[in-house]
């Protein structure tokens, strides 16, 4: 499955926008990683600097969209910690015979 996030229509401070993005990604992964059929989660962009979302879904206020795990300077954001926590806490799957 694919995982993208955007704060295009979220108003407020950067801290609030980052918290809401982190919460949304964590909630998404809590559901997706609990499904036995999920074998991978793809996240296309890692840094807000290179995000495709900024080009196709720009914010009305002109701020950069902050939906990635790293900011424009490659610093980890709250979203990175939320994703790492979701992965750390997903339950192990039984191995299947090949």
């Amino acid at each position: 499955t694919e995982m993208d996030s955007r704060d295009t229509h979220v108003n407020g401070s950067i801290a609030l926008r980052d918290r809401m993005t982190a919460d949304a990604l964590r909630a998404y992964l809590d559901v997706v990683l609990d499904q036995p059929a999920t074998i991978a989660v793809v996240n296309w962009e890692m840094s807000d600097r290179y995000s495709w979302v900024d080009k196709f879904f720009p914010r009305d206020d002109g701020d950069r969209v902050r939906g990635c795990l790293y900011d424009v300077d490659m610093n980890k954001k709250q979203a990175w910690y939320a994703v790492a926590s979701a992965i750390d806490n997903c339950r192990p799957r039984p191995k299947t015979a090949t």
Side-chain angles (χ1 to χ4, degrees):
T1 188
E2 183 177 328
M3 179 179 75
D4 289 312
S5 179
R6 61 183 190 229
D7 67 346
T8 307
H9 300 292
V10 177
N11 296 317
S13 68
I14 287 176
L16 173 66
R17 290 165 45 198
D18 285 356
R19 176 80 261 146
M20 291 179 72
T21 297
D23 290 348
L25 290 174
R26 177 61 194 256
Y28 171 79
L29 287 173
D30 284 347
V31 171
V32 169
L33 294 176
D34 194 44
Q35 301 305 310
T38 300
I39 60 170
V41 177
V42 176
N43 186 34
W44 290 105
E45 306 288 348
M46 298 302 288
S47 168
D48 292 331
R49 179 182 293 186
Y50 305 110
S51 177
W52 68 274
V53 175
D54 215 33
K55 292 178 187 174
F56 293 97
F57 301 99
R59 293 180 53 85
D60 290 337
D61 61 11
D63 280 354
R64 185 180 292 274
V65 176
R66 296 180 54 87
C68 295
L69 305 182
Y70 295 88
D71 67 14
V72 296
D73 296 318
M74 294 303 292
N75 296 308
K76 293 177 186 173
K77 296 177 4 189
Q78 293 179 50
W80 186 95
Y81 295 99
V83 169
S85 178
I87 292 168
D88 285 346
N89 291 316
C90 76
R91 87 194 140 124
R93 303 223 171 106
K95 294 183 180 190
T96 59
T98 54

